[in-house]
Amino acid sequence: MARTVAHVIVDALEELGVQHVFGVVGDALNPLTDAIRTSAGLNWVGCRHEEAAAFAASAQSQLSGTLGVCMGTVGPGSVHLLNGLYDAAKSHTPVLAICGQVPLAEIGSDYFQEVDNDLLFRDVAVHRATVTSPEQMPRLLESAVRAAVTRGGVAVLTVPGDLGDQEVRDDRPTRFALDRAVTRPDDPALARAAELLNAASRVTLLVGQGAREARTEVLQTAELLAAPMVLTLKAKEGFEDDNAFQVGQTGLIGNPAAAHALDSGDVLLMLGTDFPYREWYPKNVKVIQVDAREDHLGRRTPVDEGLAGDVGATLRALLPLLKAAPDRAHLDDARERFQHWQEGQRRLADPAHEHRWTGKLRAALDNPEHAIRPEALAAAVDTYAADDAVFTSDTGMATVWLSRFVTMRGDRRLIGSYNLGSMANAMPQALGAQLWAPERQIVALCGDGGLSMLLGDLMTIKTYRLPVKLIVFDNRRLGMVKLEQEQAGLPEFGTELDNPDFAAVATALGLTGIRVTDPADLHEAVRRTFETPGPVLLDVLTNPEEVAVLGKPTVAQGWGFAVAKAKELLPGRDGTPPRAETA
């Protein structure tokens, strides 16, 4: 008996090892969700918002290295997928989005809820197609999956509502050719790169996620060249732990040791990174870049030698051509600066430091809810979280504190919206992560703005009894925007959030809610969060005036901050007094 279009799709996803499909049920998806209902190995995860579904699918793909799958029904359901799919696209992770469509005969008639999906997803997808006949299956599905996996991106397959339950007359097994080539540059290019590195006296490495599978070769290169290793945020996982060369991150979330290591080198060797912030690259240095994607070579900073290829394969061919550095002064200086900076950061998170300043802070602000330092919260999370925990973080200040105080030791994993920079990603990504690894501890570091944006999917966590730990940095602000405004000399405006008691909201929804307003209660609350079975939301009221000092602050930024604070102290244009918390 021939299978239907829906059963061809579901059976193929099972064969690929996909375990979860995320989405919101509805009309055009009914044949597909019914096929999933009768499936032996594929599970439907009903979310409250399709954006959360796409984030969850992307998280599973990033953590597993395999295909993630989400669904959106006709029109608005598919539109809601877009932000999470953009995050997957910019993370170069394979996700298949199956979208509903109006009945085939109504396409192009401006039918109720009709949206042109092929046009809608044109920018975000490496492949998109609409099934217009059962005879196109499974060929269109094979093409979509192959494109997503081999090109590392989003594929969108649109299925009109009246096609899903039609039989595929020429039914056959699906066939996927998904092997990806491992390449390295040719010998002359390697020789030119080796010549530049051997002539250098101070080499600095900038290492990204693309080098994660080549940890051994990267460490061998750093040892041979006596090179300090600056890590991108995505490279924390895989390179931060047990690494005598790393000096942390650069850029907006970075530290002065990493910035100095870049600026004081004479050759920069970039390994598997597309670090986007051009102003943080060193000037007047030779640059060698290794990346599997040829279009990444030289697009952030001019390169003297671009090596297109897998980082591991490239370094294995390059290492025999390199000479040992004559001294380790550049490395030793960078590491000493990094350790000095780390000592200062530890003081900020020390409870003794907290208590020493609490009285002054309360006296100045007359508000005890401003007393908890976000650094202390992040450090406590690092202390009590498991060594194989999977962390997600919301874009903004939550990621800053994670970068500086949460270490990727042991088998810890880390994902976030680190290329798209979306709000509201941490909680839905944690949802997908927990289903991917039911026995592991999943920790979402949430901003209050991000959490409240997709708050409804706390119910998804509750419905599926997912033991996610949600840590809320509740500073009643869009904190990163506040910092951006003040560095530009602008008074804070539009960033204040009228938050509920998130712990009480969680409790009302059936989760365990814990709220902390006193620094003395912080460590016990964090410990209890991780020891409590089931999903827990920890709402910690942190100081909204806490500033994350950049790794390379400028005079202009400092002056802008001073001007902004002065403006905030002045009465408004309507003669109103300044806000109490900054008066």
Side-chain angles (χ1 to χ4, degrees), residues 345-368:
Q345 294 295 294
R346 282 191 288 269
R347 286 194 294 272
L348 291 176
D350 187 344
H353 178 95
E354 189 69 70
H355 289 307
R356 191 161 52 246
W357 285 98
T358 294
K360 294 181 180 180
L361 187 61
R362 287 181 175 176
L365 301 177
D366 193 28
N367 189 343

Side-chain angles (χ1 to χ4, degrees), residues 205-441:
L205 306 185
L206 178 60
V207 179
Q209 186 188 39
R212 190 170 60 192
E213 301 303 318
R215 175 183 163 93
T216 298
E217 292 86 352
V218 173
L219 291 176
Q220 289 173 348
T221 303
E223 172 66 36
L224 191 62
L225 299 175
M229 187 186 303
V230 178
L231 306 178
T232 66
L233 180 60
K234 285 187 168 186
K236 271 175 69 74
E237 177 196 318
F239 286 101
E240 185 173 50
D241 190 31
D242 192 25
N243 184 348
F245 306 97
Q246 71 98 4
V247 293
Q249 281 82 64
T250 186
L252 299 174
I253 63 173
N255 71 79
H260 185 268
L262 289 171
D263 290 340
S264 60
D266 55 7
V267 169
L268 173 64
L269 176 57
M270 300 170 59
L271 300 174
T273 178
D274 189 39
F275 182 72
Y277 302 104
R278 288 182 292 170
E279 65 271 24
W280 291 88
Y281 282 93
K283 306 296 190 294
N284 302 317
V285 300
K286 300 291 185 181
V287 178
I288 302 167
Q289 183 177 3
V290 182
D291 202 291
R293 295 175 178 268
E294 293 184 26
D295 60 329
H296 285 187
L297 299 176
R299 76 172 181 173
R300 305 303 184 189
T301 189
V303 299
D304 296 274
E305 192 63 51
L307 303 177
D310 174 80
V311 173
T314 300
L315 290 183
R316 286 192 291 274
L318 181 62
L319 277 164
L321 307 179
L322 300 180
K323 299 176 182 178
D327 65 65
R328 300 173 67 88
H330 181 49
L331 171 62
D332 292 343
D333 176 60
R335 286 286 293 176
E336 183 179 348
R337 290 171 182 266
F338 181 55
Q339 289 163 4
H340 177 73
W341 177 80
Q342 285 183 308
E343 290 170 4
Q345 294 295 294
R346 282 191 288 269
R347 286 194 294 272
L348 291 176
D350 187 344
H353 178 95
E354 189 69 70
H355 289 307
R356 191 161 52 246
W357 285 98
T358 294
K360 294 181 180 180
L361 187 61
R362 287 181 175 176
L365 301 177
D366 193 28
N367 189 343
E369 293 183 349
H370 288 179
I372 300 176
R373 302 182 72 100
E375 299 97 329
L377 173 56
V381 169
D382 183 53
T383 297
Y384 294 105
D387 283 351
D388 67 345
V390 179
F391 292 88
T392 67
S393 70
D394 269 334
T395 300
M397 299 308 295
T399 290
V400 174
W401 308 128
L402 174 139
S403 168
R404 296 185 177 188
F405 294 96
V406 178
T407 56
M408 291 297 110
R409 62 176 181 267
D411 295 320
R412 288 179 170 182
R413 301 291 305 272
L414 173 65
I415 56 173
S417 184
Y418 302 141
N419 291 73
L420 179 63
S422 173
M423 287 179 65
N425 63 282
M427 182 263 287
Q429 285 182 329
L431 188 162
Q434 191 72 82
L435 286 163
W436 169 73
E439 303 305 318
R440 290 178 72 165
Q441 189 180 83

Side-chain angles (χ1 to χ4, degrees), residues 341-545:
W341 177 80
Q342 285 183 308
E343 290 170 4
Q345 294 295 294
R346 282 191 288 269
R347 286 194 294 272
L348 291 176
D350 187 344
H353 178 95
E354 189 69 70
H355 289 307
R356 191 161 52 246
W357 285 98
T358 294
K360 294 181 180 180
L361 187 61
R362 287 181 175 176
L365 301 177
D366 193 28
N367 189 343
E369 293 183 349
H370 288 179
I372 300 176
R373 302 182 72 100
E375 299 97 329
L377 173 56
V381 169
D382 183 53
T383 297
Y384 294 105
D387 283 351
D388 67 345
V390 179
F391 292 88
T392 67
S393 70
D394 269 334
T395 300
M397 299 308 295
T399 290
V400 174
W401 308 128
L402 174 139
S403 168
R404 296 185 177 188
F405 294 96
V406 178
T407 56
M408 291 297 110
R409 62 176 181 267
D411 295 320
R412 288 179 170 182
R413 301 291 305 272
L414 173 65
I415 56 173
S417 184
Y418 302 141
N419 291 73
L420 179 63
S422 173
M423 287 179 65
N425 63 282
M427 182 263 287
Q429 285 182 329
L431 188 162
Q434 191 72 82
L435 286 163
W436 169 73
E439 303 305 318
R440 290 178 72 165
Q441 189 180 83
I442 311 298
V443 185
L445 302 186
C446 303
D448 46 1
L451 179 70
S452 57
M453 187 175 282
L454 285 176
L455 195 63
D457 272 282
L458 287 179
M459 285 304 298
T460 307
I461 291 174
K462 187 259 185 182
T463 298
Y464 292 92
R465 299 177 176 85
L466 304 177
V468 173
K469 310 306 179 188
L470 303 161
I471 313 297
V472 185
F473 289 76
D474 189 352
N475 63 358
R476 287 78 66 210
R477 294 293 190 280
L478 299 176
M480 184 63 80
V481 180
K482 172 183 179 334
L483 183 61
E484 292 166 350
Q485 289 175 347
E486 291 176 340
Q487 286 177 347
L490 302 173
E492 179 188 2
F493 179 75
T495 64
E496 296 183 55
L497 301 175
D498 183 14
N499 289 338
D501 179 335
F502 287 113
V505 171
T507 301
L509 295 177
L511 287 67
T512 298
I514 302 172
R515 185 173 172 90
V516 184
T517 62
D518 190 325
D521 300 331
L522 179 63
H523 271 259
E524 173 59 22
V526 174
R527 183 192 62 77
R528 184 156 64 95
T529 296
F530 288 117
E531 291 181 354
T532 300
V536 181
L537 186 149
L538 175 65
D539 183 15
V540 180
L541 272 65
T542 57
N543 179 12
E545 300 301 330

